[in-house]
Amino acid sequence: MTVLVAVVVAVTLWWLLADPAASVPVPSPGVGGGVGSVRGEMLRTAPAAGAAVGAAVTLMLAFRRQHHQEVTAAHTTHDATERRVTDLYTKAVEQLGHEAAAVRLGGLYALERLAQDNPGHRQTIVNVICAYLRMPWASPGGVRQDLAPAVPRAAIAGASAPATGRDPHEELQVRLTAQRILEDHLHDDRAPGERIAEPASPRFWEGMCVDLTGAILTT
């Protein structure tokens, strides 16, 4: 920046000194009381002009530097948020594979909170919950099952329990919780005539795709 200001001042001085038309005689002291020339006045104002250019350049550089810092800070904050969400999501999904039902329940509630706070990740989380409900499981004896239409009722009556080591009664509670999460957030409780004038509930996850093909749903 210093070099630029120096160049501006030097060019201005060269232009003033090289232009003979810039020199205009002024009255002598006995006539007008002043000695000098227009060129002299311009030479004296050249440094001020250079300083003004330097101030303008400094202001421009400061603005660009501030803008760059703001963009960098925004990217850093976004990246940190995405890393935190990814870490929480990974841990919650790992909990769904735990043998303890309480840990699996914790994983479902963690996923629900992540989806509520991060709309951009909702579809992925809905996909995970649906995939969990589509997996085979050992139904507890004597518990009545309400099945998805694609699954024949007789197929479940004679199905053998997969060897997962999980308690069927506890797994039933986990699956009921997964179903309840989907029902709570994917059901729009507004009447059809109210969906234009009334805003949706913040808990409603609009636009989600649900794939429960072959899932065994319980009540």
Side-chain angles (χ1 to χ4, degrees):
M1 194 267 294
T2 304
V3 175
L4 178 61
V5 174
V7 170
V8 171
V9 173
V11 170
T12 303
L13 291 174
W14 172 82
W15 176 76
L16 292 173
L17 293 173
D19 187 6
S23 179
V24 179
V26 296
S28 62
V31 177
V35 180
S37 65
V38 174
R39 174 179 291 177
E41 290 297 325
M42 296 180 69
L43 289 175
R44 282 192 291 272
T45 59
V53 173
V57 173
T58 301
L59 182 62
M60 180 188 68
L61 293 177
F63 173 79
R64 292 185 60 183
R65 188 181 301 110
Q66 180 181 0
H67 178 69
H68 176 72
Q69 291 173 349
E70 291 175 353
V71 171
T72 302
H75 283 303
T76 301
T77 302
H78 175 75
D79 292 343
T81 301
E82 287 298 313
R83 284 195 298 270
R84 180 183 63 84
V85 170
T86 300
D87 183 59
L88 293 174
Y89 167 80
T90 302
K91 291 180 179 178
V93 171
E94 289 175 353
Q95 288 178 312
L96 291 182
H98 201 277
E99 291 300 320
V103 178
R104 298 197 297 278
L105 285 171
L108 283 173
Y109 287 126
L111 288 174
E112 179 186 21
R113 182 175 179 180
L114 277 176
Q116 183 65 34
D117 296 340
N118 302 273
H121 296 271
R122 286 177 182 172
Q123 184 62 65
T124 300
I125 292 173
V126 168
N127 292 343
V128 170
I129 297 176
C130 289
Y132 187 89
L133 290 173
R134 292 197 305 267
M135 291 182 179
W137 67 292
S139 59
V143 176
R144 181 169 178 150
Q145 303 283 336
D146 287 336
L147 307 181
V151 181
R153 188 178 298 272
I156 283 302
S160 59
T164 60
R166 298 178 178 179
D167 183 279
H169 296 278
E170 293 180 347
E171 177 62 14
L172 174 62
Q173 296 305 313
V174 176
R175 287 176 170 266
L176 285 173
T177 300
Q179 292 176 197
R180 195 175 300 118
I181 289 174
L182 294 180
E183 182 180 0
D184 288 347
H185 293 283
L186 302 183
H187 175 67
D188 189 354
D189 55 3
R190 295 173 298 173
E194 298 175 347
R195 296 182 181 180
I196 297 178
E198 296 293 332
S201 168
R203 290 180 57 80
F204 176 51
W205 299 347
E206 188 173 4
M208 297 295 102
C209 296
V210 177
D211 182 8
L212 291 173
T213 305
I216 303 173
L217 305 180
T218 63
T219 58

